[in-house]
Amino acid sequence: AQSVAQPEDQVNVAEGNPLTVKCTYSVSGNPYLFWYVQYPNRGLQFLLKYITGDNLVKGSYGFEAEFNKSQTSFHLKKPSALVSDSALYFCAVRDRPRDDKIIFGKGTRLHILP
Amino acid sequence: DSGVTQTPKHLITATGQRVTLRCSPRSGDLSVYWYQQSLDQGLQFLIQYYNGEERAKGNILERFSAQQFPDLHSELNLSSLELGDSALYFCASSVAQGLGNTIYFGEGSWLTVV
C-alpha cells in the first residue's frame, strides 16, 4: 500500500530565507504526488502536483517541488519565505489505478519568523 | 473558494446521537471523497464515491455511512456518536477518477460531541 512520510512536525524559517518542507513516499507503482496547504480554520488548498515529466514542478504562491525517484522524495520549496506562508502543509500520494484514494502525510507546520 | 460546499460548518451534539453532514461537489465533478481530520490521527481517508457508486474505502467506522445521490451531492452519516468522533470532516471532489486528477477540498464541518 502507498504511504507518505513528513519527517518534520514543524519547520521554522526566517522571512526572506529559502524554505524546504520534506516529504518521502512509498508506492508499488508510479507515484502521483501532491502538496496541499491548510490555513487556520480552513480547508486544504491545492498547491501543486507531480504526474510525470519534469522533476521540478511549479505551483501556486511561488512554491515548487522537486521529485527525486532514487530518493523517493518530493520536497516542497520556496526561494524566499513570506510570513503569510505560515500554515500546515500536507504531502499526499496516489499510485494504484483501481484505488483512487489519496493518502496524506501527517502534515508539517511551517512558521515563518518576521 | 474551491467550489466544494459543506454544511453545516459547525455542529455540537451529544454522545449517542446521529448527525448528517452534507457535501455539494464542484460543478461537473463526479468523484466525492470524505476525510476526517483530528489532532491525534491527522487526515484520515474515509470513503470515496464516483457517480453514485462506492469506489474506495478507508478507515471508516461501521457507525459511519455515506452515499452519493443522483444529483452528485453526498452525505456522511455518523451515528452512535462518541466523544472521540469530534473532528473536522472534509469533503473533497474531483472531475473523475484517475491518478492525476486533483481533488479540491471544502471548508469542512466541525463536529463537537459532548
Side-chain angles (χ1 to χ4, degrees), chain B residues 31-50:
Chain B
S31 268
V32 169
Y33 309 75
W34 286 98
Y35 286 83
Q36 178 194 57
Q37 185 178 33
S38 59
L39 283 175
D40 55 343
Q41 294 292 321
L43 197 61
Q44 298 286 318
F45 170 74
L46 296 178
I47 198 164
Q48 182 224 348
Y49 283 84
Y50 175 76

Side-chain angles (χ1 to χ4, degrees), chain A residues 30 32 34 36 38 41-46 49 51 88 90 94-106, chain B residues 31 33 35 37 40-41 43 45 48 55-57 88 90 94 96-107 110:
Chain A
N30 293 320
Y32 294 78
F34 303 78
Y36 285 80
Q38 184 180 26
N41 301 316
R42 302 296 302 276
L44 277 71
Q45 295 179 33
F46 169 72
K49 66 182 177 183
I51 300 175
L88 186 57
F90 290 95
R94 259 179 176 155
D95 78 325
R96 294 176 58 183
R98 291 192 61 77
D99 187 342
D100 201 32
K101 63 180 182 278
I102 292 184
I103 300 300
F104 285 82
K106 288 189 175 295
Chain B
S31 268
Y33 309 75
Y35 286 83
Q37 185 178 33
D40 55 343
Q41 294 292 321
L43 197 61
F45 170 74
Q48 182 224 348
R55 285 305 174 102
K57 213 165 186 175
L88 183 54
F90 284 113
S94 68
Q97 295 192 112
L99 297 173
N101 285 310
T102 301
I103 68 171
Y104 295 92
F105 283 77
E107 294 291 301
W110 278 101

Side-chain angles (χ1 to χ4, degrees), chain A residues 37-40 82-89 110-113:
Chain A
V37 58
Q38 184 180 26
Y39 297 100
L82 300 172
V83 173
S84 57
D85 293 329
S86 298
L88 186 57
Y89 290 80
L110 179 63
H111 285 286
I112 306 302
L113 308 171

Side-chain angles (χ1 to χ4, degrees), chain B residues 15-91:
Chain B
T15 54
Q17 295 299 304
R18 172 191 169 95
V19 298
T20 297
L21 308 180
R22 194 179 192 279
C23 169
S24 294
R26 296 186 321 155
S27 177
D29 283 1
L30 300 177
S31 268
V32 169
Y33 309 75
W34 286 98
Y35 286 83
Q36 178 194 57
Q37 185 178 33
S38 59
L39 283 175
D40 55 343
Q41 294 292 321
L43 197 61
Q44 298 286 318
F45 170 74
L46 296 178
I47 198 164
Q48 182 224 348
Y49 283 84
Y50 175 76
N51 204 20
E53 294 186 5
E54 182 184 307
R55 285 305 174 102
K57 213 165 186 175
N59 301 322
I60 187 167
L61 300 172
E62 286 190 8
R63 300 182 286 108
F64 297 180
S65 65
Q67 56 184 322
Q68 186 180 26
F69 295 87
D71 67 353
L72 302 177
H73 90 272
S74 179
E75 293 181 356
L76 179 67
N77 300 297
L78 315 174
S79 61
S80 303
L81 285 166
E82 302 174 359
L83 296 178
D85 298 328
S86 296
L88 183 54
Y89 291 85
F90 284 113
C91 173

